Amino acid sequence: MEPGSTVSAVRSSRVLCGTEIRPALIVIKEGKIHKILPNSSGSTGDTAAGSEVLDVGDHLVMPGIVDCHVHVNEPGRTTWEGFWTATRAAAAGGVTTIVDMPLNSIPPTTTLDNFHEKMAAASGKCFVDTAFWGGVVPGNQFHAERDTPLPSGKEERDTPLPSGKEERDVPLPSEEADPKEYSTFLKSRPDVMELEAIRTVTELCLKYQVHCHIVHLSSAQPLALIQAAKQAGAPLTVETTHHYLSLSAEHIPAGATQFKCCPPIRGVANQEQLWSALKAGQIDMVVSDHSPCTPDLKRLDSGDFTQAWGGISSLQFGLSLFWTSASKKGFTLPDVVRLLCQRTAQLCRLDNQKGSLVPGHDADLVIWDPEKEFEVKDASIHHKNKLTPYLGLTLLGEVSVTIVRGRVVYKQGSFSPTPLGKHLLLPQGTTQVSLCDGEKTEGTQVSLCDGEKTEGTQASR
C-alpha cells in the first residue's frame, strides 16, 4: 500500500482501544472510523469492494498525535520553517494534526486579514490537518469586536485561557560570565520568573473563572501554586514539552546553542519533578513547542548562548522522545494517548473528531513499533532546518505509517505524492484564541482558548 492510498480497514494484533490493547480490525468509511471489530481476523465484509485492508501485524495502532503548540513561521519566515516541511515532519512522527501558533510568522496572526494571509500561505501545502491559533494583543480589540473569531471582552468570560509566560525583568549576566557556558544563560532565566508569572495567572484564573492554560512549563517550582489553584476550583490546565522532559542542563556542552530555548532547560532534579507532576495529573499534556530557525541564528560559530535564538525543533520526534523516557518511568501506552492525543485535542476543541479511536472520529492513525530503537540522523530529519539537539540520539519507538482521515500520508520514509491535510476551522459563533505578548526569544506567551467540546470543526484563528 503506497503513500497516498485510501485505506478501508487497518488490522493489527495490537490496537489501543481506550485503555486496552487487543487484536482488532478498524473499519474506515469516508475518512471516518466506521466501527472497530474486536478480532483482527474478523470479517472485512464492511469494507468497500476493491478497497485495501492494511494488515500491520503486531505493530501498535493508536490515534494520531495532536500537537497543539507548533511554530510553523509561514508566511514571512519560511527560511526557518514552512507548512510543507513542518507537516511532512509531523507525518513522519505520527502527528496527524498540528495547531500553528501566531508567532513567529510575518505578519503574526492577530487580525482577520493576517489570518487570511496565513491561510493562503498554507493552502495546498499541508500533509496533515492544520488549525491556527489567533493572537490577542493590545490594540486588536477592534478585530475582536468585528465578525471574527477573536473574542470581545464580554465573550472572554466564557473562553478558557491557556497561559504560560515569564516575567520580563531578565537578570543580565556579569561581565565575568562566559557566554559559551550554558549556566550563564540559565542564571539569566531563574525559576522565579515563571513562578511569579504563574502566580499572577492562577490568581486571575480563580478570580474570573476563565479557563487558563499554562504553556511550555519548564520549572517545577510553580507546581504547588498550580495544584493549590486547581484544588480551589480554578479552571486551569498545564502543558510541558518534550525538551523539558528529555534534556537537562547538566548535560548541555559549552557552546552547544542548539539546546537553547525559552524558558530554559533546567536541571535533572527539576526534570524529575516534572515527570512526577505529569504522572500525578498536575501537568495535563505534552507538546513540542516546535520553534525552529536558520542555523546562523543559533550562533554556533561563536557558541554564545546569550545571543543565540531560543527555540528547539522536535515536531518529528515527539512521540519517540516521550516514549523513550516515559517507558522507563512507569508510564503506559494508554498514558501516551491521554497526554499526546486526547488532552491536546480537548484543549483546542478537537476532541469531537480527533485524539481517540472511536466510531465517528476521523480515521487518523499512527502505526508504530514501541519496542524498536532508531538513531536520529541528519538524512532522516524532515524539518526544513535539521539543526536539533537530538541529532545522534538513539530513541525508542519508530513510526512506520501515518494515516490522516483514511489516507496514507507517510509510510517508512516516503510521503503521499500530494499534501492530503486540510484546514480545520471552528464554526462561526464559537471563540478560541491564543494571546501572545512578547518575542519568542523572551519566552513569553499566553494562550487563550476554549476547552469545551463543540460540534463541527476546529479553528484557532
Side-chain angles (χ1 to χ4, degrees):
M1 185 172 295
E2 297 302 315
S5 302
T6 298
V7 182
S8 65
V10 175
R11 175 188 284 122
S12 175
S13 63
R14 293 196 295 173
V15 177
L16 209 168
C17 300
T19 59
E20 181 186 3
I21 298 174
R22 55 181 171 82
L25 179 76
I26 303 172
V27 180
I28 300 169
K29 286 189 176 181
E30 298 179 350
K32 300 283 187 181
I33 297 173
H34 177 60
K35 60 175 63 176
I36 302 177
L37 302 177
N39 194 312
S40 67
S41 61
S43 169
T44 58
D46 286 302
T47 63
S51 57
E52 296 191 75
V53 177
L54 181 61
D55 192 327
V56 300
D58 64 354
H59 274 53
L60 183 77
V61 181
M62 73 175 210
I65 293 164
V66 178
D67 192 335
C68 59
H69 191 150
V70 177
H71 294 268
V72 177
N73 303 331
E74 186 174 5
R77 287 193 171 107
T78 51
T79 55
W80 296 14
E81 189 66 278
F83 286 100
W84 185 278
T85 49
T87 57
R88 281 166 67 97
V95 178
T96 53
T97 301
I98 66 168
V99 188
D100 175 61
M101 300 299 283
L103 303 179
N104 295 295
S105 56
I106 302 173
T109 317
T110 53
T111 70
L112 189 58
D113 288 343
N114 292 357
F115 169 66
H116 288 155
E117 187 171 342
K118 177 170 279 193
M119 287 276 285
S123 181
K125 299 178 182 177
C126 297
F127 284 78
V128 302
D129 286 354
T130 304
F132 308 87
W133 292 116
V136 176
V137 295
N140 77 342
Q141 60 266 35
F142 167 75
H143 299 273
E145 292 166 1
R146 292 168 52 196
D147 186 20
T148 77
L150 303 181
S152 67
K154 63 183 176 125
E155 290 171 323
E156 287 183 22
R157 181 100 178 127
D158 301 317
T159 304
L161 167 93
S163 68
K165 65 183 288 292
E166 293 177 287
E167 293 293 348
R168 306 285 289 181
D169 296 328
V170 180
L172 296 176
S174 66
E175 292 182 4
E176 297 78 21
D178 185 350
K180 293 183 179 181
E181 292 294 331
Y182 183 73
S183 58
T184 299
F185 168 63
L186 184 58
K187 289 174 183 176
S188 75
R189 316 301 298 227
D191 299 75
V192 69
M193 295 172 68
E194 277 187 90
L195 179 68
E196 292 308 313
I198 289 173
R199 187 189 308 278
T200 300
V201 170
T202 55
E203 289 173 355
L204 292 172
C205 186
L206 273 170
K207 181 176 181 179
Y208 294 104
Q209 290 295 301
V210 173
H211 175 193
C212 297
H213 176 75
I214 296 170
V215 301
H216 53 50
L217 179 73
S218 77
S219 172
Q221 285 193 15
L223 287 169
L225 276 177
I226 291 167
Q227 184 66 5
K230 285 185 173 185
Q231 291 175 346
L236 184 67
T237 52
V238 187
E239 72 180 35
T240 191
T241 73
H242 300 298
H243 40 278
Y244 299 135
L245 296 174
S246 303
L247 305 173
S248 56
E250 292 89 340
H251 299 108
I252 298 177
T257 52
Q258 66 268 32
F259 287 83
K260 181 179 176 180
C261 59
C262 299
I265 295 160
R266 304 190 189 276
V268 171
N270 179 87
Q271 184 183 85
E272 288 303 314
Q273 289 179 277
L274 293 179
W275 276 109
S276 296
L278 196 64
K279 181 168 284 189
Q282 294 173 287
I283 298 174
D284 301 278
M285 64 196 73
V286 184
V287 299
S288 70
D289 188 12
H290 175 71
S291 186
C293 67
T294 53
D296 61 299
L297 294 177
K298 279 294 188 181
R299 306 295 176 92
L300 289 172
D301 53 345
S302 66
D304 188 335
F305 278 101
T306 65
Q307 297 298 314
W309 169 262
I312 286 179
S313 297
S314 60
L315 179 58
Q316 181 178 338
F317 303 110
L319 173 59
S320 303
L321 284 166
F322 182 78
W323 184 239
T324 299
S325 297
S327 61
K328 300 171 185 175
K329 296 179 180 295
F331 286 76
T332 65
L333 289 164
D335 291 329
V336 175
V337 172
R338 176 172 54 87
L339 295 167
L340 274 63
C341 308
Q342 294 173 340
R343 292 285 177 83
T344 50
Q346 290 168 2
L347 177 71
C348 38
R349 297 168 60 189
L350 284 168
D351 55 321
N352 63 326
Q353 57 181 315
K354 306 285 187 184
S356 299
L357 295 188
V358 295
H361 274 49
D362 289 347
D364 293 352
L365 313 174
V366 54
I367 299 163
W368 62 299
D369 185 347
E371 291 79 39
K372 186 174 181 180
E373 292 185 336
F374 69 98
E375 182 182 344
V376 178
K377 298 180 178 180
D378 187 89
S380 64
I381 297 173
H382 297 288
H383 308 138
K384 177 168 286 188
N385 294 292
K386 301 179 186 296
L387 183 65
T388 174
Y390 306 116
L391 190 65
L393 289 187
T394 297
L395 301 180
L396 181 65
E398 184 176 57
V399 173
S400 176
V401 180
T402 303
I403 296 172
V404 176
R405 286 176 286 102
R407 299 188 68 181
V408 178
V409 296
Y410 172 82
K411 183 180 180 182
Q412 297 173 335
S414 298
F415 298 89
S416 57
T418 58
L420 299 175
K422 69 177 182 180
H423 296 164
L424 304 173
L425 306 177
L426 282 176
Q428 192 65 29
T430 57
T431 300
Q432 185 137 340
V433 299
S434 163
L435 180 124
C436 300
D437 65 345
E439 295 298 323
K440 179 68 179 178
T441 48
E442 293 302 319
T444 63
Q445 183 158 290
V446 180
S447 303
L448 183 70
C449 80
D450 192 352
E452 295 181 5
K453 184 187 286 189
T454 62
E455 297 302 320
T457 53
Q458 145 82 11
S460 317
R461 306 187 241 183

